[in-house]
């Protein structure tokens, strides 16, 4: 069998605008939605967070401003209590210590997820161009009266551009919820084939899921035949069907479905003849084992499959007489089809090797007992007992 190699999603260097991490509740270091995304995707998709210096600074400013407002309120409360009691009350917390502790908390979070801080590329920035854009309100500077915005966005964009240049062989992903900055970044990064821009973490995560599905689908295509042989190899008489004695297990679990079919006979016929028209098997039972169908992926390497096992058998009985005149005996035929779905799983190595095969469940998918078509008899290779050599 040809060599098989499972390709993993490539490393993505993730660069974020401030709004991708911001959250109204400052008790959170970053947005809980981003943290949830990171916990779910970072390891599986080999993500590396590279945070611009300006973004870190903005977040620290927002969190520190909120904390300092609380500290000011606390100081006012202490002053109020001192006035009421006539005793001077003080606490030991200073604004310098509060600022330092908030910064330490944020840097600890960055360290825990393995994020890198990207310094602003001051030496390589074309400051003349930045100044001109600021004066003429060129994007990402905003052109609204009484509102100035754009300098920090320009520094973030210059940081992203510098990363695209210095890391030209790696994928760079920039996420920004700011439409003006995002549109400007899309235009400026157009010439870099390694760069892509997304509106939100949700949009980027959807891309990652699609990438995984495509890579998984390609890998499944490569191992599909191997999966079928692992379930049942007719030439070697091996596989899960043999090792787990699935046919015996199915018969034991579904005994009633394998009994000789019976239908309620006409009471007048039983009274007249003393017997009922029972069905009799007139062919060998055929067992058909279908190919493995991929169902879903659990974790990184546990593949779930569904393989059908179908039992077919032809039955007949004398047809009931119609009218008073005797007629030549005629046989009525029906084909019983029992199709079971075997749900099974196996771990698969990156080179396509299977291990830890096990059955998850078996269920009856189809059960029919009907007059067969000639095509059905041909497809299932059914031969009547009197037709056998």
């Amino acid at each position: 069998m040809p060599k098989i190699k499972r390709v993993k999603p490539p490393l993505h260097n993730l660069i974020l605008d401030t709004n991708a991490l911001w959250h109204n509740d400052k008790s959170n270091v970053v947005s809980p939605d981003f943290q949830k995304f990171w916990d779910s995707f970072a390891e599986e998709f080999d993500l590396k967070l590279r945070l611009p210096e300006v973004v870190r600074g903005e977040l620290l400013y927002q969190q520190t401003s909120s904390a300092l407002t609380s500290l000011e309120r606390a100081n006012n409360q202490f002053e109020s209590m001192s006035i009421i009691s006539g005793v001077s009350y003080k606490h030991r917390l200073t604004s310098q210590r509060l600022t330092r502790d908030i910064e330490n908390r944020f840097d600890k979070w960055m360290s825990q997820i393995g994020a890198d801080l990207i310094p602003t590329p001051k030496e390589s920035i074309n400051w003349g161009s930045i100044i001109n854009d600021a004066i003429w309100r060129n994007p990402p500077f905003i052109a609204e009266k009484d509102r100035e915005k754009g300098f920090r966005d320009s520094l973030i964009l210059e940081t992203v551009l510098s990363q695209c240049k210095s890391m030209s062989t790696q994928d760079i992903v920039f996420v920004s919820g700011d439409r003006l900055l995002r549109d400007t970044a899309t235009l400026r990064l157009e010439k870099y084939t390694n760069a892509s821009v997304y509106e939100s973490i949700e949009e980027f995560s959807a891309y990652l899921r699609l990438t995984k599905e495509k890579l998984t689908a390609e890998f499944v295509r490569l191992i599909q035949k191997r999966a079928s042989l692992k379930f049942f190899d007719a030439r070697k008489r091996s596989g899960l069907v043999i090792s787990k004695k699935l046919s015996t297990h199915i018969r034991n679990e579904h005994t009633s479905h394998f009994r000789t079919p019976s239908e309620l006979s006409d009471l007048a016929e039983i009274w007249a003849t003393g017997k009922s028209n029972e069905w009799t098997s007139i062919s060998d039972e055929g067992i058909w084992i279908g190919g493995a169908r991929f169902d879903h992926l659990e974790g990184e390497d546990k593949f779930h499959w569904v393989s059908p096992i179908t039992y077919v058998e032809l039955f007949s009985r004398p047809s009931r007489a119609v009218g008073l005149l005797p007629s030549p005996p005629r046989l009525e035929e029906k084909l019983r089809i029992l199709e079971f779905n075997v749900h099974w799983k196996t771990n698969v190595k990156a080179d396509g090797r299977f291990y830890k095969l096990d059955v998850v469940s078996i269920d009856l998918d189809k059960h029919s007992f009907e007059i067969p078509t000639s095509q059905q008899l041909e497809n299932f290779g059914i031969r009547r007992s009197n037709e056998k050599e």
Side-chain angles (χ1 to χ4, degrees):
M1 192 166 286
K3 288 185 178 179
I4 293 175
K5 181 68 176 177
R6 185 183 183 189
V7 180
K8 291 192 67 177
L11 167 69
H12 288 89
N13 293 282
L14 183 58
I15 303 177
L16 303 177
D17 190 7
T18 309
N19 47 58
L21 292 174
W22 179 89
H23 193 259
N24 185 55
D25 183 356
K26 303 306 181 217
S27 65
N28 297 300
V29 183
V30 295
S31 163
D33 287 340
F34 175 80
Q35 188 64 59
K36 183 178 179 180
F37 157 80
W38 189 263
D39 294 341
S40 301
F41 288 86
E43 185 175 350
E44 182 178 357
F45 290 91
D46 201 8
L47 302 180
K48 178 70 175 179
L49 180 61
R50 303 178 64 80
L51 204 61
E53 178 184 16
V54 172
V55 172
R56 172 183 176 273
E58 282 193 272
L59 290 168
L60 287 176
Y61 170 77
Q62 293 165 2
Q63 294 175 4
T64 302
S65 296
S66 177
L68 289 177
T69 299
S70 297
L71 178 60
E72 184 179 359
R73 286 199 295 266
N75 288 335
N76 291 336
Q77 291 296 326
F78 269 90
E79 184 177 346
S80 177
M81 289 186 292
S82 297
I83 293 172
I84 294 172
S85 67
V87 178
S88 178
Y89 298 118
K90 291 185 178 180
H91 58 79
R92 296 182 179 181
L93 182 60
T94 63
S95 59
Q96 292 81 5
R97 178 185 171 184
L98 185 58
T99 301
R100 184 181 69 248
D101 289 344
I102 292 171
E103 185 175 359
N104 288 340
R105 182 183 75 148
F106 190 86
D107 290 344
K108 181 180 179 181
W109 172 80
M110 287 188 62
S111 176
Q112 287 174 340
I113 68 168
D116 287 346
L117 184 66
I118 317 172
T120 306
K122 308 178 189 67
E123 294 77 13
S124 62
I125 290 178
N126 184 340
W127 291 106
S129 178
I130 296 287
I131 293 170
N132 185 71
D133 288 342
I135 292 172
W136 294 103
R137 307 297 194 271
N138 295 327
F141 292 89
I142 202 161
E144 292 181 5
K145 184 180 286 189
D146 301 326
R147 184 182 176 195
E148 291 187 11
K149 176 183 178 296
F151 182 67
R152 289 190 299 274
D153 288 345
S154 290
L155 297 182
I156 292 172
L157 180 53
E158 291 295 332
T159 304
V160 175
L161 286 165
S162 71
Q163 292 297 295
C164 290
K165 293 174 185 176
S166 62
M167 305 176 69
S168 58
T169 60
Q170 297 187 33
D171 287 343
I172 304 291
V173 175
F174 178 52
V175 178
S176 174
D178 186 308
R179 183 188 59 79
L180 187 60
L181 175 56
R182 187 174 64 254
D183 291 348
T184 307
T186 300
L187 289 174
R188 296 280 300 276
L189 297 173
E190 209 169 26
K191 62 181 179 180
Y192 297 100
T193 58
N194 64 323
S196 52
V197 181
Y198 293 89
E199 178 180 355
S200 64
I201 286 296
E202 290 76 18
E203 185 185 10
F204 178 52
S205 62
Y207 159 79
L208 290 177
R209 282 192 293 269
L210 183 60
T211 299
K212 179 182 177 180
E213 288 173 5
K214 287 181 177 179
L215 293 175
T216 298
E218 176 61 18
F219 186 62
V220 166
R221 185 186 67 79
L222 294 173
I223 65 173
Q224 190 93 42
K225 183 177 180 181
R226 186 172 294 182
S228 295
L229 291 175
K230 287 294 181 180
F231 185 72
F232 179 64
D233 188 333
R235 185 173 60 85
K236 296 181 179 179
R237 299 295 300 172
S238 64
L240 206 59
V241 169
I242 304 300
S243 64
K244 296 293 184 180
K245 300 180 179 178
L246 290 186
S247 190
T248 300
H249 179 75
I250 290 173
R251 290 179 183 281
N252 291 339
E253 289 294 316
H254 299 270
T255 306
S256 61
H257 290 101
F258 286 92
R259 291 180 183 143
T260 300
S262 62
E263 295 178 355
L264 290 175
S265 298
D266 184 79
L267 292 177
E269 178 186 347
I270 297 175
W271 177 78
T273 63
K275 60 181 180 179
S276 62
N277 259 344
E278 294 292 343
W279 294 97
T280 304
S281 173
I282 59 170
S283 76
D284 291 333
E285 181 183 64
I287 303 177
W288 294 83
I289 300 175
R293 183 179 76 247
F294 174 68
D295 189 56
H296 68 276
L297 180 63
E298 179 186 347
E300 276 293 284
D301 62 353
K302 189 172 291 184
F303 288 72
H304 286 251
W305 308 85
V306 179
S307 295
I309 298 181
T310 304
Y311 298 81
V312 292
E313 192 169 357
L314 187 64
F315 292 84
S316 74
R317 70 176 182 182
S319 62
R320 292 179 173 85
V322 179
L324 299 175
L325 296 176
S327 59
R330 185 172 60 85
L331 291 179
E332 181 183 3
E333 293 184 348
K334 284 193 177 183
L335 183 67
R336 182 177 68 189
I337 302 176
L338 301 173
E339 183 174 316
F340 295 87
N341 279 336
V342 180
H343 300 262
W344 58 286
K345 62 184 178 181
T346 176
N347 291 68
V348 184
K349 294 181 181 290
D351 60 2
R353 284 181 292 165
F354 285 54
Y355 65 104
K356 292 184 179 179
L357 283 76
D358 199 9
V359 174
V360 177
S361 64
I362 302 173
D363 57 69
L364 178 62
D365 184 49
K366 296 177 183 177
H367 177 202
S368 63
F369 187 61
E370 299 172 347
I371 298 172
T373 64
S374 56
Q375 190 62 54
Q376 280 182 310
L377 295 177
E378 182 180 341
N379 290 344
F380 286 117
I382 298 295
R383 298 181 65 186
R384 298 172 181 82
S385 300
N386 59 6
E387 295 175 342
K388 299 175 185 177
E389 295 178 357

